[in-house]
């Protein structure tokens, strides 16, 4: 859990900088702490996107994070990378290489081929 700097948030959302909601998004994200995570596993990005739900909470299915806990798109409560390339870029913004730990669960070989 960290309180991200404005500079980090501006860089994280740089692809949205020309959008009218960009300043408000940065301010909202800067208004309190965030929990930054790196997930690993087969199809982690695709699976995470399903768990998050649609960007617009009212388009999200019940049982997804946004479907259960978000009301408006500007406060959709969670961000998830939309591709492996985006994930790699975003991970490098939020974490140093030493902070990212890869591990193998004892049940790995029961779950994965």
């Amino acid at each position: 859990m960290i309180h991200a700097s404005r500079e980090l948030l501006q860089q994280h959302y740089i692809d949205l900088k020309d959008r009218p909601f960009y300043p408000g998004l940065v301010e909202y994200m800067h208004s309190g702490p965030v929990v930054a995570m790196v997930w690993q596993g087969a199809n982690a990005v695709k699976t995470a996107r399903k768990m998050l739900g649609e960007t617009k909470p009212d388009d999200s299915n019940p049982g997804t994070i946004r479907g259960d806990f978000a009301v408006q798109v500007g406060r959709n409560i969670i961000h998830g990378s939309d591709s492996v390339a985006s994930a790699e870029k975003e991970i490098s913004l939020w974490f140093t290489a030493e902070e990212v730990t890869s591990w193998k669960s004892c049940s790995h070989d029961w779950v994965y081929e």
Side-chain angles (χ1 to χ4, degrees):
M1 181 184 313
I2 67 167
H3 190 169
S5 68
R6 278 188 179 85
E7 294 76 22
L8 172 60
L9 295 166
Q10 289 167 341
Q11 189 61 37
H12 180 89
Y13 290 111
I14 195 71
D15 58 319
L16 302 174
K17 72 178 170 95
D18 295 326
R19 305 292 293 269
F21 58 82
Y22 175 76
L25 173 61
V26 171
E27 276 308 304
Y28 171 64
M29 293 298 296
H30 186 67
S31 70
V34 298
V35 177
M37 294 182 265
V38 177
W39 293 0
Q40 71 179 40
N43 300 309
V45 171
K46 182 178 179 181
T47 301
R49 299 292 295 176
K50 287 181 182 179
M51 292 170 59
L52 270 57
E54 300 297 322
T55 300
K56 293 180 180 179
D58 55 353
D59 291 341
S60 296
N61 290 325
T64 64
I65 295 169
R66 292 175 180 149
D68 288 354
F69 300 107
V71 177
Q72 291 184 305
V73 69
R75 301 292 187 264
N76 70 14
I77 73 167
I78 193 163
H79 169 81
S81 302
D82 60 1
S83 68
V84 172
S86 292
E88 290 170 349
K89 181 185 123 203
E90 293 169 359
I91 290 166
S92 71
L93 283 173
W94 290 84
F95 299 95
T96 65
E98 296 78 28
E99 292 173 315
V100 179
T101 302
S102 183
W103 66 280
K104 183 176 174 182
S105 168
C106 62
S107 64
H108 181 274
D109 293 336
W110 297 342
V111 177
Y112 297 100
E113 294 182 88

